[in-house]
Amino acid sequence: MSSETPTTSLENLSREERRFPPSEEFAAGAIATADLYDRAAADREGFWAEQARDLLTWSTDFTQTLDWSKAPFARWFVGGELNVAYNCTDRHVEAGHGDRVALHFEGEPGDTRSYTYAELTAAVKRAANALQDLGISKGDRVAIYLPMIPEAVIAMLACARLGAPHSVVFGGFSAEALHSRIEDAQAKLVITSDGGYRRGKPSALKPAVDAALAKGAPSVKHVLVVKRTGQDVEWDDARDVWWDDALAAAAPEHTAQPMDAEHPLFILYTSGTTGKPKGILHTSGGYLTQCAYTHKNVFDLHRDTDVYWCTADIGWVTGHSYIVYGPLANGATQVIYEGTPDTPHQGRFWEIVQKYGVTILYTAPTAIRTFMKWGEDIPAKFDLSSLRVLGSVGEPINPEAWVWYRRVIGGDRTPVVDTWWQTETGAIMISPLPGVTAAKPGSAQVPLPGISADVLDDEAHSVPDGGGGYLVLTEPWPSMLRGIWGDDERYQETYWSRFPGMYFAGDGAKKDDDGDIWLLGRVDDVMNVSGHRLSTTEIESALVSHPKVAEAAVVGATDDTTGQAPCAFVILRGGAEQGDDIVTELRNHVAQEIGPIAKPRQIMVVAELPKTRSGKIMRRLLRDVAEKREVGDVTTLADTTVMDLIKSGMSTSTES
Ligand code: PRX
């Protein structure tokens, strides 16, 4: 990991001086009030125990809130038993809410389907039986590679019901990336579809599964295939089963079995600082408690009247916690949308808000900046008056985008909650509370009640107000990751060794004069592209796996729309031809190895890379080049002329 200190300057972020307190009317009706902070501060564990008991239904009550004796391996709600899927489905039906809509599905081509809680429960029960018929039982891993369709939610809940941890792989990842995740988790079943709709066209998924399994994945016994697009698919009779056939043949009734609070719920792979993605492990009771708690309090969920919409894909943690587990545990009504914001027109999101009367919208700064570029007249054509809370997640939101979001989408009326968290934290950690906090555009501001965070300097001292450093979480929290799948050592090393006894998030942060926290982006070799997390080393590994590449360095350069964009510097092997063809070939190679999201925006063929005398690539200097800045201090370079060489070669680069 590089030890570069955060580079984004607070001055850039804090130009907006206005504060946005909630209206009196909003504050008066808000779910979360200021006393929540006091209650949590007075007795942190007691507070979480109360949340767990209030928000969830336990088959067996827990006897201890937190066991931290084997830190950093936590056990929350020790002795407690519950079934996560039961909490997200059956119990709402049993409480008389079976007719409430759980999901309004909007397909990209315009097809729609709604599921009430009774219908969702029935579908999950059948799917659980179908999985069982395919040999899946408690503890088996199931890989899910699906578009944003209701079956994705049903499949995840069916796994949870059986205690079979799911590993959802984003549909935009390549066969290669899917294969490595299937292998690492030793999945027994893959659930996929023939395809999904993307930008107005059917886009195939099953061929990637076939290709992944052809690379060798002996753990996989079956592939369950949802029919979505009707595309032709290759079929292996011994292995492949249609979802509809399996569900039709399955028994309709299924009784959920209680699981230990610490039973693994899912593995979700995310990019780290080394080439190999990490399988982040989450368990049941603590994870669901914090998902439900944050979803209710941060979004001010009034279950009977709100219509919630999170625009994430279930392939990312936001989709896990804030499409599946948080909202469904809370019995919310939500919209899920399959496609892109500009299909068939640039007003699609606002058309959906108007159509379903969406009241709470949760999206990413990248999307907001794209909408800003498209112009205010597009949302102005739709009735957005139903909206009452807006959320942002995935990357720092610049104050301009924050203010635009509130003014244009929120009618200058709605609170905006900028929510900081990570795959590893499982749920929101730092965020305003919409009925309490006077919001500051660009700042996530304060840890939620029950959460403890700080900003430390290099020597692990808490920085004073006005200072900058590294974000840490100073106390364990219920939805924290329980480890990295199969690699306890990497878990301790990655998160708990930089500042002993504290969780190191990998983000730079500042405290302003009020002590509010501003997130400044990653301080390690992880970049954030459109709110998607990618590792520079993972892209470098993909590049050097190409036979024509001798060496590669990748940096995340600032990008107006996507936040950051991968920019690559490559040294070709002797004899390899330079020029545009090689650049296109390498970009496609990265798409094939990882997925189209990882394609470098720019690839520069260079003769040398800037290295220190110990051979470490100085990415800071490459970032200067990629961002077209004056190149910084080069005195530690082994060869100080290298940067001149690279800059003079800039003209050979290709942008797309
Ligand atoms: O750098 C932070 C950024 O996204 C990283 C986590 O990425 P991932 O695990 O993919 O989860 C994304 C969705 C929770 C963090 O380390 N990040 C996330 N939210 C924010 C953010 N940076 C600034 N402000 C945020 N609100």
Side-chain angles (χ1 to χ4, degrees), residues 318 394-396 418-423 507 519 522 528 533:
T318 308
E395 51 182 316
D418 174 11
T419 62
W420 178 89
W421 59 294
Q422 312 175 294
T423 307
D507 278 17
L519 278 311
R522 302 288 306 192
N528 197 319
R533 196 161 140 181

Side-chain angles (χ1 to χ4, degrees), residues 101-328:
V101 172
L103 301 176
H104 285 298
F105 167 67
E106 175 89 11
E108 196 188 79
D111 57 321
T112 58
R113 263 187 278 167
S114 289
Y115 285 80
T116 61
Y117 272 95
E119 289 164 342
L120 184 65
T121 305
V124 172
K125 285 180 175 176
R126 264 195 193 274
N129 281 326
L131 262 53
Q132 231 162 9
D133 295 344
L134 289 170
I136 298 302
S137 58
K138 186 173 171 178
D140 291 337
R141 273 83 61 204
V142 176
I144 298 180
Y145 188 65
L146 280 171
M148 274 299 298
I149 53 178
E151 286 80 0
V153 179
I154 294 164
M156 289 165 75
L157 291 173
C159 290
R161 199 172 180 93
L162 298 177
H166 53 70
S167 163
V168 181
V169 181
F170 174 55
F173 277 126
S174 66
E176 184 65 45
L178 174 63
H179 176 250
S180 69
R181 287 158 174 77
I182 289 173
E183 275 290 278
D184 190 76
Q186 289 290 294
K188 200 167 168 185
L189 173 72
V190 181
I191 307 180
T192 188
S193 69
D194 46 1
Y197 290 95
R198 204 85 198 140
R199 299 193 190 286
K201 290 195 301 265
S203 147
L205 273 182
K206 177 141 190 306
V209 176
D210 293 335
L213 299 186
K215 292 174 197 289
S219 61
V220 176
K221 304 297 174 226
H222 290 287
V223 177
L224 192 53
V225 188
V226 176
K227 190 174 271 177
R228 168 70 183 135
T229 56
Q231 286 162 291
D232 280 339
V233 287
E234 300 265 319
W235 204 255
D236 176 342
D237 282 331
R239 187 195 72 188
D240 301 344
V241 182
W242 285 110
W243 169 275
D244 284 343
D245 294 348
L247 262 70
E253 268 315 316
H254 183 274
T255 307
Q257 297 303 314
M259 307 282 158
D260 188 273
E262 285 298 339
H263 186 73
L265 179 61
F266 66 85
I267 305 164
L268 183 59
Y269 287 84
T270 189
S271 295
T273 49
T274 63
K276 194 168 166 268
K278 301 176 287 205
I280 303 299
L281 174 67
H282 282 288
T283 60
S284 301
Y287 172 78
L288 197 64
T289 297
Q290 199 173 325
C291 284
Y293 160 76
T294 50
H295 181 256
K296 184 173 169 188
N297 289 288
V298 173
F299 299 116
D300 191 48
L301 179 77
H302 289 71
R303 192 184 61 184
D304 295 329
T305 46
D306 275 319
V307 178
Y308 165 86
W309 181 24
C310 167
T311 68
D313 188 287
I314 49 125
W316 306 101
V317 74
T318 308
H320 283 58
S321 303
Y322 297 105
I323 292 178
V324 182
Y325 293 111
L328 296 177

